[in-house]
Amino acid sequence: MRRWQWLPLAVAGIFCLAWLFRPLWFDEALTRVEFVALSSPAQIYWRYNIPNNHILFTLLLRGWVELTGACGLGGGVIDRGLPLLITGGALTVSAVFWQRVGGKAAATMLLWALILSRPFEIYSMALRGYMLSFLTITLALAAFRRWTASGKYRYCGYYFLAALAAVGTIPSNLAALVAVPLVFLPERGRDIFRLKFLLPALLPVVALVMFYLPIRDKLLHNLALGEGWYDRGAAVGVVYGGWLFALLPVLAAAIPGAVTAWRQRPGWTRWGRMAVFSLPLLC
């Protein structure tokens, strides 16, 4: 970690410490009472009767509750210690990854945009699987990048494990994992049909099937519930609007590069990378 990275991380830590003391929200209480409190960890996996059960996160929370309980600790503030650790890990991994991909200035702006955003305030300390999803998908991005750069199969394995953790937390994370290969589309379009690119690109689907095959009936039932936003336009507005305001400085700084890229008449692979930002429209 560079010294410049510690300031936004320290500010994020102050925010998170303040949010430790907020009361449990409905979904958090539901997670704690209906799933974490089951008689055995195995039941957490098999009781996937509603999508509110973010299975991998719930299992981790169960372990955290048992660990802190053995130390004579408990309660909402102590329970939020797990998302505090996960958020710290997600911010650290993101800072390192963004610096390697985009440089110091881009990483600094992205860190500030993230920690000052409304979604970060809502989800960073929530007893839900959203920050774990952010962490695992960022790890998947880093592993895929190393795989395409080196071709070493261990990075392909790391990518699979990160994808398995992501879909094991929330199955709809598959949509975000679909975006990972788009970010690293080969400059030569025909290279997408080579094993080096196709193999890891298909691994998230394999991970989803492996994790949910024993409880496929429950997964299909949850998918058929149709819960969520009934107004697609409002949902899209919330998804984009939640980040747009915080990312305005980043977008403004990216304008010169976008103009340069446009003048270079980008090929379809570069347009494919830009398509990542349109994926929420499909959900």
Side-chain angles (χ1 to χ4, degrees), residues 22-77:
R22 71 188 185 197
L24 292 180
W25 298 341
F26 174 78
D27 281 347
E28 295 178 297
L30 187 65
T31 297
R32 187 67 172 81
V33 174
E34 291 294 327
F35 302 113
V36 173
L38 290 170
S39 58
S40 70
Q43 289 191 20
I44 294 174
Y45 175 77
W46 292 106
R47 192 170 175 178
Y48 190 54
N49 53 332
I50 54 175
N52 301 68
N53 182 9
H54 295 170
I55 296 176
L56 180 59
F57 175 80
T58 308
L59 287 168
L60 291 176
L61 184 58
R62 169 63 177 259
W64 176 260
V65 169
E66 291 182 349
L67 175 63
T68 55
C71 298
L73 303 173
V77 175

Short mmCIF file of all heavy atoms in Angstrom, two decimals, residues 22-77:
data_model
loop_
_atom_site.label_atom_id
_atom_site.label_comp_id
_atom_site.label_asym_id
_atom_site.label_seq_id
_atom_site.Cartn_x
_atom_site.Cartn_y
_atom_site.Cartn_z
N ARG A 22 -25.81 1.64 13.81
CA ARG A 22 -27.18 1.81 13.34
C ARG A 22 -27.98 0.54 13.62
O ARG A 22 -27.43 -0.57 13.63
CB ARG A 22 -27.19 2.14 11.85
CG ARG A 22 -26.81 1.01 10.93
CD ARG A 22 -26.67 1.48 9.51
NE ARG A 22 -26.42 0.39 8.57
CZ ARG A 22 -25.95 0.54 7.34
NH1 ARG A 22 -25.66 1.75 6.91
NH2 ARG A 22 -25.77 -0.50 6.56
N PRO A 23 -29.29 0.67 13.83
CA PRO A 23 -30.11 -0.51 14.10
C PRO A 23 -30.22 -1.41 12.86
O PRO A 23 -30.01 -0.95 11.73
CB PRO A 23 -31.48 0.09 14.48
CG PRO A 23 -31.48 1.45 13.88
CD PRO A 23 -30.07 1.92 13.90
N LEU A 24 -30.55 -2.67 13.09
CA LEU A 24 -30.70 -3.61 11.99
C LEU A 24 -31.89 -3.24 11.12
O LEU A 24 -32.96 -2.90 11.63
CB LEU A 24 -30.89 -5.04 12.52
CG LEU A 24 -29.70 -5.69 13.22
CD1 LEU A 24 -30.08 -7.10 13.67
CD2 LEU A 24 -28.48 -5.73 12.33
N TRP A 25 -31.72 -3.31 9.81
CA TRP A 25 -32.82 -3.12 8.88
C TRP A 25 -33.53 -4.46 8.68
O TRP A 25 -33.10 -5.50 9.16
CB TRP A 25 -32.29 -2.57 7.56
CG TRP A 25 -31.65 -1.23 7.69
CD1 TRP A 25 -31.79 -0.35 8.72
CD2 TRP A 25 -30.72 -0.61 6.77
NE1 TRP A 25 -31.05 0.77 8.52
CE2 TRP A 25 -30.37 0.64 7.33
CE3 TRP A 25 -30.17 -0.98 5.55
CZ2 TRP A 25 -29.50 1.52 6.70
CZ3 TRP A 25 -29.30 -0.12 4.92
CH2 TRP A 25 -28.97 1.12 5.49
N PHE A 26 -34.62 -4.41 7.91
CA PHE A 26 -35.47 -5.59 7.77
C PHE A 26 -34.70 -6.79 7.23
O PHE A 26 -34.72 -7.88 7.82
CB PHE A 26 -36.66 -5.28 6.85
CG PHE A 26 -37.49 -6.48 6.53
CD1 PHE A 26 -38.40 -6.98 7.45
CD2 PHE A 26 -37.36 -7.14 5.32
CE1 PHE A 26 -39.16 -8.09 7.17
CE2 PHE A 26 -38.11 -8.26 5.01
CZ PHE A 26 -39.02 -8.74 5.95
N ASP A 27 -34.02 -6.62 6.09
CA ASP A 27 -33.31 -7.75 5.49
C ASP A 27 -32.17 -8.23 6.39
O ASP A 27 -31.85 -9.44 6.40
CB ASP A 27 -32.76 -7.36 4.12
CG ASP A 27 -33.83 -7.40 3.05
OD1 ASP A 27 -34.90 -7.95 3.32
OD2 ASP A 27 -33.60 -6.89 1.94
N GLU A 28 -31.55 -7.31 7.11
CA GLU A 28 -30.48 -7.72 8.03
C GLU A 28 -31.05 -8.56 9.17
O GLU A 28 -30.49 -9.61 9.51
CB GLU A 28 -29.80 -6.49 8.60
CG GLU A 28 -29.05 -5.65 7.59
CD GLU A 28 -28.43 -4.42 8.22
OE1 GLU A 28 -29.18 -3.56 8.73
OE2 GLU A 28 -27.20 -4.32 8.22
N ALA A 29 -32.16 -8.10 9.74
CA ALA A 29 -32.79 -8.86 10.81
C ALA A 29 -33.26 -10.22 10.31
O ALA A 29 -33.14 -11.24 11.01
CB ALA A 29 -33.96 -8.07 11.39
N LEU A 30 -33.79 -10.25 9.09
CA LEU A 30 -34.24 -11.51 8.50
C LEU A 30 -33.07 -12.47 8.34
O LEU A 30 -33.18 -13.67 8.65
CB LEU A 30 -34.90 -11.25 7.15
CG LEU A 30 -35.58 -12.43 6.47
CD1 LEU A 30 -36.78 -12.89 7.28
CD2 LEU A 30 -36.03 -12.04 5.06
N THR A 31 -31.94 -11.97 7.88
CA THR A 31 -30.75 -12.81 7.75
C THR A 31 -30.31 -13.37 9.10
O THR A 31 -30.01 -14.56 9.23
CB THR A 31 -29.59 -11.99 7.14
OG1 THR A 31 -29.95 -11.57 5.82
CG2 THR A 31 -28.31 -12.80 7.09
N ARG A 32 -30.32 -12.50 10.09
CA ARG A 32 -29.83 -12.89 11.43
C ARG A 32 -30.75 -13.90 12.10
O ARG A 32 -30.29 -14.87 12.73
CB ARG A 32 -29.71 -11.62 12.30
CG ARG A 32 -29.07 -11.84 13.65
CD ARG A 32 -27.61 -12.22 13.51
NE ARG A 32 -26.95 -12.25 14.80
CZ ARG A 32 -27.03 -13.27 15.65
NH1 ARG A 32 -27.73 -14.33 15.34
NH2 ARG A 32 -26.39 -13.23 16.82
N VAL A 33 -32.06 -13.70 11.99
CA VAL A 33 -33.03 -14.52 12.72
C VAL A 33 -33.39 -15.79 11.97
O VAL A 33 -33.46 -16.89 12.54
CB VAL A 33 -34.30 -13.70 13.03
CG1 VAL A 33 -35.37 -14.58 13.65
CG2 VAL A 33 -33.97 -12.53 13.95
N GLU A 34 -33.62 -15.67 10.66
CA GLU A 34 -34.14 -16.80 9.89
C GLU A 34 -33.07 -17.76 9.40
O GLU A 34 -33.35 -18.94 9.18
CB GLU A 34 -34.94 -16.27 8.68
CG GLU A 34 -36.23 -15.58 9.06
CD GLU A 34 -37.25 -16.54 9.68
OE1 GLU A 34 -37.26 -17.72 9.27
OE2 GLU A 34 -38.00 -16.10 10.57
N PHE A 35 -31.84 -17.28 9.22
CA PHE A 35 -30.83 -18.13 8.60
C PHE A 35 -29.61 -18.36 9.49
O PHE A 35 -29.19 -19.50 9.68
CB PHE A 35 -30.40 -17.54 7.26
CG PHE A 35 -31.56 -17.38 6.30
CD1 PHE A 35 -31.99 -16.11 5.92
CD2 PHE A 35 -32.22 -18.47 5.80
CE1 PHE A 35 -33.05 -15.95 5.05
CE2 PHE A 35 -33.29 -18.33 4.92
CZ PHE A 35 -33.70 -17.07 4.54
N VAL A 36 -29.05 -17.29 10.04
CA VAL A 36 -27.87 -17.46 10.88
C VAL A 36 -28.19 -18.31 12.10
O VAL A 36 -27.36 -19.10 12.57
CB VAL A 36 -27.31 -16.09 11.31
CG1 VAL A 36 -26.18 -16.25 12.32
CG2 VAL A 36 -26.81 -15.33 10.09
N ALA A 37 -29.42 -18.18 12.61
CA ALA A 37 -29.81 -18.86 13.84
C ALA A 37 -30.26 -20.31 13.63
O ALA A 37 -30.71 -20.95 14.57
CB ALA A 37 -30.93 -18.07 14.53
N LEU A 38 -30.16 -20.83 12.41
CA LEU A 38 -30.53 -22.22 12.17
C LEU A 38 -29.64 -23.16 12.99
O LEU A 38 -28.53 -22.80 13.39
CB LEU A 38 -30.43 -22.54 10.69
CG LEU A 38 -31.48 -21.86 9.79
CD1 LEU A 38 -31.14 -22.06 8.32
CD2 LEU A 38 -32.88 -22.41 10.08
N SER A 39 -30.10 -24.37 13.18
CA SER A 39 -29.43 -25.28 14.11
C SER A 39 -28.05 -25.73 13.63
O SER A 39 -27.20 -26.09 14.44
CB SER A 39 -30.30 -26.52 14.36
OG SER A 39 -30.58 -27.19 13.14
N SER A 40 -27.81 -25.72 12.31
CA SER A 40 -26.51 -26.14 11.81
C SER A 40 -26.16 -25.33 10.56
O SER A 40 -27.05 -24.88 9.84
CB SER A 40 -26.51 -27.63 11.47
OG SER A 40 -27.31 -27.89 10.33
N PRO A 41 -24.86 -25.15 10.28
CA PRO A 41 -24.46 -24.43 9.06
C PRO A 41 -24.97 -25.09 7.79
O PRO A 41 -25.28 -24.40 6.81
CB PRO A 41 -22.93 -24.46 9.13
CG PRO A 41 -22.61 -24.61 10.57
CD PRO A 41 -23.70 -25.47 11.13
N ALA A 42 -25.08 -26.40 7.77
CA ALA A 42 -25.57 -27.08 6.56
C ALA A 42 -26.98 -26.65 6.21
O ALA A 42 -27.33 -26.55 5.02
CB ALA A 42 -25.52 -28.60 6.76
N GLN A 43 -27.80 -26.38 7.22
CA GLN A 43 -29.17 -25.94 6.96
C GLN A 43 -29.22 -24.59 6.27
O GLN A 43 -30.19 -24.29 5.57
CB GLN A 43 -29.96 -25.91 8.26
CG GLN A 43 -30.28 -27.28 8.82
CD GLN A 43 -31.28 -27.21 9.95
OE1 GLN A 43 -32.02 -26.23 10.09
NE2 GLN A 43 -31.31 -28.24 10.78
N ILE A 44 -28.20 -23.76 6.47
CA ILE A 44 -28.16 -22.46 5.80
C ILE A 44 -28.12 -22.66 4.29
O ILE A 44 -28.79 -21.93 3.54
CB ILE A 44 -26.94 -21.65 6.28
CG1 ILE A 44 -27.09 -21.29 7.75
CG2 ILE A 44 -26.75 -20.38 5.43
CD1 ILE A 44 -25.87 -20.61 8.35
N TYR A 45 -27.35 -23.65 3.85
CA TYR A 45 -27.27 -23.93 2.42
C TYR A 45 -28.58 -24.53 1.90
O TYR A 45 -29.10 -24.10 0.86
CB TYR A 45 -26.12 -24.89 2.16
CG TYR A 45 -26.02 -25.34 0.71
CD1 TYR A 45 -25.48 -24.50 -0.25
CD2 TYR A 45 -26.46 -26.61 0.31
CE1 TYR A 45 -25.37 -24.90 -1.58
CE2 TYR A 45 -26.36 -27.02 -1.00
CZ TYR A 45 -25.82 -26.17 -1.94
OH TYR A 45 -25.74 -26.58 -3.25
N TRP A 46 -29.13 -25.49 2.62
CA TRP A 46 -30.31 -26.19 2.12
C TRP A 46 -31.58 -25.38 2.28
O TRP A 46 -32.56 -25.62 1.56
CB TRP A 46 -30.47 -27.53 2.85
CG TRP A 46 -29.38 -28.49 2.51
CD1 TRP A 46 -28.33 -28.87 3.28
CD2 TRP A 46 -29.23 -29.19 1.26
NE1 TRP A 46 -27.52 -29.75 2.62
CE2 TRP A 46 -28.05 -29.98 1.37
CE3 TRP A 46 -29.97 -29.23 0.08
CZ2 TRP A 46 -27.61 -30.79 0.34
CZ3 TRP A 46 -29.53 -30.04 -0.94
CH2 TRP A 46 -28.37 -30.81 -0.83
N ARG A 47 -31.57 -24.37 3.14
CA ARG A 47 -32.77 -23.55 3.33
C ARG A 47 -32.67 -22.29 2.47
O ARG A 47 -32.67 -21.16 2.97
CB ARG A 47 -32.95 -23.18 4.80
CG ARG A 47 -34.33 -22.58 5.10
CD ARG A 47 -34.56 -22.44 6.58
NE ARG A 47 -35.83 -21.77 6.85
CZ ARG A 47 -36.31 -21.54 8.07
NH1 ARG A 47 -35.62 -21.95 9.13
NH2 ARG A 47 -37.44 -20.91 8.25
N TYR A 48 -32.61 -22.52 1.21
CA TYR A 48 -32.57 -21.40 0.25
C TYR A 48 -33.99 -21.18 -0.27
O TYR A 48 -34.24 -21.22 -1.47
CB TYR A 48 -31.60 -21.73 -0.88
CG TYR A 48 -31.30 -20.56 -1.79
CD1 TYR A 48 -30.84 -19.36 -1.27
CD2 TYR A 48 -31.48 -20.67 -3.16
CE1 TYR A 48 -30.56 -18.29 -2.10
CE2 TYR A 48 -31.20 -19.60 -4.01
CZ TYR A 48 -30.75 -18.41 -3.47
OH TYR A 48 -30.48 -17.34 -4.30
N ASN A 49 -34.90 -20.91 0.65
CA ASN A 49 -36.31 -20.80 0.28
C ASN A 49 -36.68 -19.40 -0.19
O ASN A 49 -37.70 -19.23 -0.85
CB ASN A 49 -37.20 -21.20 1.46
CG ASN A 49 -36.87 -20.43 2.73
OD1 ASN A 49 -35.74 -20.01 2.92
ND2 ASN A 49 -37.84 -20.26 3.61
N ILE A 50 -35.86 -18.41 0.13
CA ILE A 50 -36.07 -17.06 -0.38
C ILE A 50 -34.70 -16.47 -0.73
O ILE A 50 -33.69 -16.84 -0.13
CB ILE A 50 -36.78 -16.13 0.64
CG1 ILE A 50 -36.04 -16.12 1.99
CG2 ILE A 50 -38.24 -16.53 0.82
CD1 ILE A 50 -36.63 -15.14 2.98
N PRO A 51 -34.65 -15.58 -1.72
CA PRO A 51 -33.34 -15.06 -2.16
C PRO A 51 -32.66 -14.17 -1.14
O PRO A 51 -31.50 -13.78 -1.36
CB PRO A 51 -33.68 -14.29 -3.44
CG PRO A 51 -35.14 -13.97 -3.34
CD PRO A 51 -35.75 -15.09 -2.57
N ASN A 52 -33.33 -13.82 -0.04
CA ASN A 52 -32.70 -13.02 1.00
C ASN A 52 -31.52 -13.74 1.65
O ASN A 52 -30.68 -13.10 2.28
CB ASN A 52 -33.71 -12.66 2.09
CG ASN A 52 -34.88 -11.87 1.56
OD1 ASN A 52 -35.69 -12.41 0.81
ND2 ASN A 52 -35.00 -10.60 1.92
N ASN A 53 -31.47 -15.04 1.50
CA ASN A 53 -30.36 -15.82 2.05
C ASN A 53 -29.17 -15.74 1.09
O ASN A 53 -29.11 -16.46 0.10
CB ASN A 53 -30.80 -17.28 2.24
CG ASN A 53 -29.70 -18.13 2.86
OD1 ASN A 53 -28.67 -17.61 3.30
ND2 ASN A 53 -29.90 -19.43 2.88
N HIS A 54 -28.23 -14.86 1.39
CA HIS A 54 -26.98 -14.77 0.64
C HIS A 54 -26.05 -15.84 1.21
O HIS A 54 -25.29 -15.58 2.14
CB HIS A 54 -26.38 -13.38 0.76
CG HIS A 54 -27.22 -12.31 0.13
ND1 HIS A 54 -26.95 -10.96 0.30
CD2 HIS A 54 -28.32 -12.38 -0.67
CE1 HIS A 54 -27.86 -10.25 -0.38
NE2 HIS A 54 -28.69 -11.09 -0.96
N ILE A 55 -26.10 -17.03 0.66
CA ILE A 55 -25.64 -18.24 1.32
C ILE A 55 -24.21 -18.13 1.86
O ILE A 55 -23.96 -18.37 3.05
CB ILE A 55 -25.75 -19.45 0.38
CG1 ILE A 55 -27.22 -19.71 0.04
CG2 ILE A 55 -25.14 -20.69 1.02
CD1 ILE A 55 -27.45 -20.83 -0.95
N LEU A 56 -23.24 -17.78 1.02
CA LEU A 56 -21.86 -17.74 1.49
C LEU A 56 -21.68 -16.71 2.59
O LEU A 56 -21.03 -16.97 3.61
CB LEU A 56 -20.91 -17.45 0.33
CG LEU A 56 -19.43 -17.38 0.71
CD1 LEU A 56 -18.97 -18.70 1.33
CD2 LEU A 56 -18.57 -17.04 -0.50
N PHE A 57 -22.27 -15.53 2.42
CA PHE A 57 -22.15 -14.52 3.47
C PHE A 57 -22.82 -15.00 4.75
O PHE A 57 -22.30 -14.78 5.85
CB PHE A 57 -22.78 -13.19 3.03
CG PHE A 57 -22.79 -12.15 4.12
CD1 PHE A 57 -21.65 -11.42 4.40
CD2 PHE A 57 -23.92 -11.93 4.88
CE1 PHE A 57 -21.64 -10.48 5.42
CE2 PHE A 57 -23.92 -11.00 5.91
CZ PHE A 57 -22.78 -10.27 6.18
N THR A 58 -23.98 -15.64 4.63
CA THR A 58 -24.69 -16.12 5.81
C THR A 58 -23.85 -17.15 6.55
O THR A 58 -23.80 -17.17 7.78
CB THR A 58 -26.04 -16.73 5.42
OG1 THR A 58 -26.77 -15.80 4.62
CG2 THR A 58 -26.87 -17.05 6.65
N LEU A 59 -23.17 -18.02 5.80
CA LEU A 59 -22.28 -19.00 6.43
C LEU A 59 -21.13 -18.32 7.15
O LEU A 59 -20.76 -18.71 8.28
CB LEU A 59 -21.75 -19.97 5.38
CG LEU A 59 -22.75 -21.00 4.83
CD1 LEU A 59 -22.17 -21.69 3.60
CD2 LEU A 59 -23.11 -22.02 5.90
N LEU A 60 -20.55 -17.30 6.52
CA LEU A 60 -19.47 -16.55 7.18
C LEU A 60 -19.98 -15.83 8.43
O LEU A 60 -19.29 -15.80 9.46
CB LEU A 60 -18.86 -15.55 6.21
CG LEU A 60 -18.07 -16.13 5.04
CD1 LEU A 60 -17.62 -15.00 4.11
CD2 LEU A 60 -16.87 -16.92 5.52
N LEU A 61 -21.17 -15.27 8.34
CA LEU A 61 -21.74 -14.58 9.50
C LEU A 61 -22.02 -15.57 10.62
O LEU A 61 -21.83 -15.24 11.80
CB LEU A 61 -23.02 -13.85 9.09
CG LEU A 61 -23.69 -13.00 10.17
CD1 LEU A 61 -22.73 -11.94 10.72
CD2 LEU A 61 -24.96 -12.33 9.63
N ARG A 62 -22.47 -16.76 10.26
CA ARG A 62 -22.69 -17.80 11.27
C ARG A 62 -21.38 -18.11 12.00
O ARG A 62 -21.34 -18.18 13.22
CB ARG A 62 -23.25 -19.05 10.60
CG ARG A 62 -23.29 -20.32 11.46
CD ARG A 62 -24.21 -20.15 12.67
NE ARG A 62 -24.27 -21.40 13.42
CZ ARG A 62 -25.28 -22.26 13.34
NH1 ARG A 62 -26.30 -22.02 12.53
NH2 ARG A 62 -25.29 -23.35 14.07
N GLY A 63 -20.30 -18.29 11.24
CA GLY A 63 -19.01 -18.54 11.86
C GLY A 63 -18.55 -17.38 12.72
O GLY A 63 -17.98 -17.59 13.80
N TRP A 64 -18.80 -16.15 12.26
CA TRP A 64 -18.41 -14.96 13.02
C TRP A 64 -19.19 -14.88 14.33
O TRP A 64 -18.62 -14.57 15.38
CB TRP A 64 -18.66 -13.72 12.18
CG TRP A 64 -18.39 -12.42 12.88
CD1 TRP A 64 -19.31 -11.59 13.45
CD2 TRP A 64 -17.11 -11.80 13.08
NE1 TRP A 64 -18.70 -10.49 13.99
CE2 TRP A 64 -17.35 -10.59 13.78
CE3 TRP A 64 -15.81 -12.14 12.74
CZ2 TRP A 64 -16.32 -9.73 14.14
CZ3 TRP A 64 -14.78 -11.28 13.11
CH2 TRP A 64 -15.04 -10.10 13.80
N VAL A 65 -20.48 -15.16 14.28
CA VAL A 65 -21.32 -15.12 15.49
C VAL A 65 -20.86 -16.17 16.49
O VAL A 65 -20.78 -15.90 17.70
CB VAL A 65 -22.80 -15.33 15.11
CG1 VAL A 65 -23.65 -15.57 16.36
CG2 VAL A 65 -23.33 -14.13 14.35
N GLU A 66 -20.53 -17.36 16.01
CA GLU A 66 -20.06 -18.40 16.92
C GLU A 66 -18.70 -18.03 17.52
O GLU A 66 -18.45 -18.27 18.71
CB GLU A 66 -19.98 -19.73 16.19
CG GLU A 66 -21.35 -20.30 15.80
CD GLU A 66 -21.23 -21.66 15.12
OE1 GLU A 66 -20.10 -22.04 14.76
OE2 GLU A 66 -22.28 -22.31 14.95
N LEU A 67 -17.83 -17.44 16.70
CA LEU A 67 -16.50 -17.05 17.19
C LEU A 67 -16.60 -15.95 18.24
O LEU A 67 -15.98 -16.05 19.31
CB LEU A 67 -15.64 -16.58 16.01
CG LEU A 67 -14.25 -16.03 16.36
CD1 LEU A 67 -13.39 -17.13 16.99
CD2 LEU A 67 -13.56 -15.47 15.12
N THR A 68 -17.36 -14.91 17.95
CA THR A 68 -17.49 -13.82 18.91
C THR A 68 -18.26 -14.24 20.14
O THR A 68 -17.98 -13.79 21.25
CB THR A 68 -18.17 -12.61 18.25
OG1 THR A 68 -19.44 -13.01 17.69
CG2 THR A 68 -17.30 -12.03 17.15
N GLY A 69 -19.24 -15.15 19.95
CA GLY A 69 -19.99 -15.66 21.10
C GLY A 69 -19.10 -16.45 22.04
O GLY A 69 -19.25 -16.38 23.27
N ALA A 70 -18.16 -17.21 21.48
CA ALA A 70 -17.23 -17.97 22.32
C ALA A 70 -16.32 -17.05 23.11
O ALA A 70 -15.78 -17.44 24.15
CB ALA A 70 -16.39 -18.91 21.44
N CYS A 71 -16.15 -15.82 22.63
CA CYS A 71 -15.33 -14.82 23.33
C CYS A 71 -16.17 -13.96 24.28
O CYS A 71 -15.65 -12.98 24.84
CB CYS A 71 -14.63 -13.93 22.32
SG CYS A 71 -13.48 -14.80 21.23
N GLY A 72 -17.44 -14.32 24.44
CA GLY A 72 -18.32 -13.57 25.34
C GLY A 72 -18.84 -12.28 24.75
O GLY A 72 -19.28 -11.40 25.49
N LEU A 73 -18.83 -12.16 23.40
CA LEU A 73 -19.30 -10.96 22.74
C LEU A 73 -20.54 -11.28 21.93
O LEU A 73 -20.79 -12.43 21.58
CB LEU A 73 -18.21 -10.39 21.83
CG LEU A 73 -16.88 -10.06 22.49
CD1 LEU A 73 -15.85 -9.67 21.45
CD2 LEU A 73 -17.04 -8.93 23.51
N GLY A 74 -21.31 -10.26 21.61
CA GLY A 74 -22.50 -10.47 20.80
C GLY A 74 -23.25 -9.17 20.62
O GLY A 74 -22.92 -8.14 21.20
N GLY A 75 -24.27 -9.22 19.77
CA GLY A 75 -25.08 -8.03 19.52
C GLY A 75 -24.84 -7.45 18.14
O GLY A 75 -23.92 -7.86 17.42
N GLY A 76 -25.69 -6.48 17.78
CA GLY A 76 -25.65 -5.91 16.44
C GLY A 76 -24.32 -5.27 16.09
O GLY A 76 -23.82 -5.44 14.98
N VAL A 77 -23.71 -4.55 17.06
CA VAL A 77 -22.44 -3.88 16.78
C VAL A 77 -21.36 -4.91 16.51
O VAL A 77 -20.56 -4.77 15.56
CB VAL A 77 -22.05 -2.96 17.95
CG1 VAL A 77 -20.67 -2.36 17.70
CG2 VAL A 77 -23.08 -1.87 18.13
#
